[in-house]
Amino acid sequence: MAQPTGPNPPPEPPRRQFNTARHNSNVFANNGGEQNVNITQTGAHPRRTWAWISLAIFFVADLVFFQYGQSAYTNGADQSGDLDRALIFIVLLIGTGIVFTVCVRDIKRRLF
């Protein structure tokens, strides 16, 4: 039977490596018997594209909301509105920091 053709090829099985050590051979140390070593590699770490897109959105929102808050500052005439805008900006900044740590972790997994 022929392999199905189409835009999505079937997923490849995980790469496997089997090593067998017998008496007087060495895979570290086998105490007089057989030792089977099974190494299964599942491939690369998943990419976190959602985090990078979210980071870009958060960064743009931070810049836009900072400019809005700066231009709408009343210098004490409406303290409630100023505090609300400051609180929203701080929440956005915390969200940006959390997504930034996820992106840094993604870079570390890819490169190191």
Side-chain angles (χ1 to χ4, degrees), residues 29-95:
N30 66 353
N31 298 318
E34 285 193 8
Q35 178 182 10
N36 292 322
V37 179
N38 181 5
I39 301 171
T40 303
Q41 298 174 347
T42 58
H45 292 286
R47 294 181 179 249
R48 307 209 186 296
T49 54
W50 63 268
W52 291 99
I53 293 169
S54 299
L55 182 64
I57 292 170
F58 266 114
F59 187 67
V60 169
D62 285 341
L63 290 176
V64 168
F65 201 80
F66 180 78
Q67 285 297 332
Y68 166 69
Q70 188 177 18
S71 65
Y73 182 63
T74 61
N75 197 15
D78 180 22
Q79 291 182 353
S80 176
D82 291 341
L83 291 176
D84 290 344
R85 286 187 290 273
L87 181 64
I88 291 171
F89 177 72
I90 289 172
V91 168
L92 279 172
L93 201 59
I94 290 171

